[in-house]
């Protein structure tokens, strides 16, 4: 199998998700609902999803390699003064909060097949391959942009520690479950179709001067359309990676608000690609809806 060709093609697909963003222009949200905040200064990438007697919830959509997204976190913390912060991480990725940016960038420059094999040791071939591709994608983007991933989550974590009584919540489903479910959703024919596409395609490398295009939602939608048009089976993979996780994140956010007893003021920090789905499902998810999504 052309292993490195697999990695290159999936990187193209993963970058469409990893680099999604919108213009970072601040606006003032005026809420007609009851709440502690009638005017909140927010970046356009943030949404006030709840502001009533039960609590105030701000959802910030980020780009995982964006320095502006990191600053947006601090801006919202300053005006919201949250007593809970939820981040798009699971226990398997919580080490990202203590990541040394400088060391990660140094390691990214030395990321090779040996390190990939070490990172996915103990996983089956298909899950291990996708996990390796994810790691390689992040390493390559980090090398290209000179920015370590997850800076917005680290900023949220450090801001949380400055606020007395503020709690941090991990909102995402375990990454290994997501990877396993993605490939289990495919038939043998679809899996062959995906692997054939990955091994025969030769995508262009990331052009850092074109990154601004990922702020355009229409452009990103067109990228997804192109991928799924070429290989319809990718729709199933995207369903597991995006839609299912939107439901899990929405439910986690609901539980976060419910467990903060005293006037919940919650900031949720998630990738931009999850914002629309979380807004769609927030307040509607029940435990019985989520449990089936937590098993591979």
């Amino acid at each position: 199998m052309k292993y490195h060709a697999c990695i290159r093609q999936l990187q193209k697909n993963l970058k469409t998700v990893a680099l999604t963003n919108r213009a970072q222009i601040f606006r003032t949200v005026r809420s007609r609902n009851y709440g502690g905040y009638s005017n909140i200064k927010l970046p356009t990438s943030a949404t006030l999803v709840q502001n009533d007697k039960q609590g105030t919830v701000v959802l910030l959509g980020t780009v995982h390699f964006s320095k502006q997204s990191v600053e947006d976190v601090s801006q919202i913390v300053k005006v919201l003064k949250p007593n809970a912060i939820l981040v798009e991480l699971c226990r398997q990725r919580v080490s990202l909060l203590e990541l040394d940016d400088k060391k990660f960038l140094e390691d990214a420059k030395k990321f090779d097949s040996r390190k990939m094999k070490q990172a996915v040791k103990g996983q089956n071939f298909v899950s291990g391959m996708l996990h390796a591709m994810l790691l390689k994608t992040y390493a390559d983007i980090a090398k290209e942009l000179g920015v370590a991933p997850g800076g917005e989550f680290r900023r949220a974590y450090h801001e949380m520690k400055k606020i007395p009584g503020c709690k941090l919540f991990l909102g995402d489903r375990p990454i290994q479950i997501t990877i396993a479910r993605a490939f289990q959703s495919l038939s043998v024919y679809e899996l062959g179709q995906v692997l054939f596409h990955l091994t025969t395609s030769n995508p262009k490398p990331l052009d850092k001067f074109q990154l601004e295009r990922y702020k355009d939602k229409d452009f990103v939608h067109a990228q997804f359309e192109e991928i799924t048009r070429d290989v319809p089976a990718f729709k199933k993979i995207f369903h597991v990676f995006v839609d299912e996780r939107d439901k899990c994140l929405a439910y986690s956010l609901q539980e976060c608000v419910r467990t903060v007893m005293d006037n919940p003021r919650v900031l949720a920090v998630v990738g931009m690609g999850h914002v629309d789905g979380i807004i769609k499902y927030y307040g509607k998810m029940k435990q019985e809806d989520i449990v089936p999504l937590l098993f591979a």
Side-chain angles (χ1 to χ4, degrees), residues 202-220:
N202 187 27
K204 296 179 181 179
L206 174 67
D207 182 352
K208 63 181 179 181
F209 298 107
Q210 297 296 321
L211 285 178
E212 292 300 310
R213 300 183 69 186
Y214 285 92
K215 293 180 179 179
D216 185 345
K217 294 182 72 174
D218 291 336
F219 171 75
V220 174

Side-chain angles (χ1 to χ4, degrees), residues 33-34 53 60 63 66 68 70 77-78 85 91 110 118 127 133 142 149-150 210-211 215 222 238-239 268 291:
N33 297 323
Y34 175 88
K53 293 180 179 180
L60 173 64
V63 179
S66 167
Q68 182 60 55
V70 174
V77 167
K78 183 178 180 180
I85 298 178
R91 289 188 180 278
K110 305 171 186 176
Q118 290 177 345
S127 295
M133 292 174 183
Q210 297 296 321
L211 285 178
K215 293 180 179 179
F238 290 152
H239 171 74
V291 170

Side-chain angles (χ1 to χ4, degrees), residues 170-190:
L170 304 179
D172 206 357
R173 175 174 66 183
I175 183 64
Q176 290 182 357
I177 291 178
T178 296
I179 291 172
R181 286 181 63 87
F183 277 96
Q184 289 173 5
S185 70
L186 302 176
S187 67
V188 174
Y189 172 76
E190 289 170 330

Side-chain angles (χ1 to χ4, degrees), residues 14 55 69 81 202 215 238 243 284:
L14 294 173
S69 289
K81 297 179 176 60
N202 187 27
K215 293 180 179 179
F238 290 152
D243 188 65
K284 302 174 183 177

Side-chain angles (χ1 to χ4, degrees), residues 212-236:
E212 292 300 310
R213 300 183 69 186
Y214 285 92
K215 293 180 179 179
D216 185 345
K217 294 182 72 174
D218 291 336
F219 171 75
V220 174
H221 179 72
Q223 296 297 297
F224 281 121
E225 287 293 316
E226 179 184 347
I227 294 168
T228 55
R229 183 174 60 250
D230 292 342
V231 184
F234 272 117
K235 289 183 179 180
K236 291 186 177 181

